[in-house]
Amino acid sequence: MRNETFKEWLQYLSLDGDGELAKKLETKAKELSDPGDPGLRLAHITLNYYQEKMKTQYVAALTIASVYIDLGDKDKMFEWLNLPVDSSNPGAGRN
C-alpha cells in the first residue's frame, strides 16, 4: 500500500508541474536500502526543492508547511501557516 501511495504522490507532483521533484524523489527512493526512515530523507529533498523553487516562482505557504509536518517540525509548520496574507494579493505566500 505504501508503495502505491508513493507512486500516486509522484504522479500528482508531475501533473502539478513539479516533475523535476518527482524524478529526484523517485531516484532517491530507489537508492535507499536502509530500513531507517527514508521518508525523512525524502522530506529533506522536497524541502530543498521548494526552497530553490521559491527563489524564482510562487510556492504556497501550505506546501512548505506540509513538508515541515513530514519533518516533524511543528514550530516551522506553524510559522508558515501563520504568515500574514497580503490583502492586495490574497494568493501570495512567502517567497
Side-chain angles (χ1 to χ4, degrees):
M1 179 68 173
R2 203 181 238 186
N3 195 27
E4 290 174 24
T5 304
F6 184 66
K7 286 180 181 179
E8 287 179 11
W9 183 51
L10 294 178
Q11 184 177 14
Y12 162 78
L13 289 172
S14 294
L15 293 172
D16 197 44
D18 288 321
E20 180 184 341
L21 173 59
K23 288 178 185 175
K24 285 181 182 181
L25 292 173
E26 185 174 26
T27 300
K28 189 63 175 178
K30 288 177 182 175
E31 292 174 5
L32 297 174
S33 58
D34 182 356
D37 188 0
L40 189 61
R41 283 180 253 164
L42 296 177
H44 280 288
I45 292 168
T46 303
L47 180 61
N48 290 336
Y49 171 83
Y50 283 124
Q51 286 173 331
E52 285 300 311
K53 185 175 180 177
M54 283 190 301
K55 292 177 182 177
T56 59
Q57 299 175 42
Y58 171 78
V59 175
L62 184 58
T63 300
I64 302 300
S66 68
V67 177
Y68 280 115
I69 290 170
D70 293 341
L71 290 171
D73 191 335
K74 291 180 184 177
D75 292 334
K76 286 284 189 179
M77 176 202 66
F78 283 117
E79 179 183 321
W80 278 90
L81 289 177
N82 290 319
L83 289 174
V85 175
D86 180 352
S87 61
S88 65
N89 186 3
R94 181 161 104 184
N95 287 334

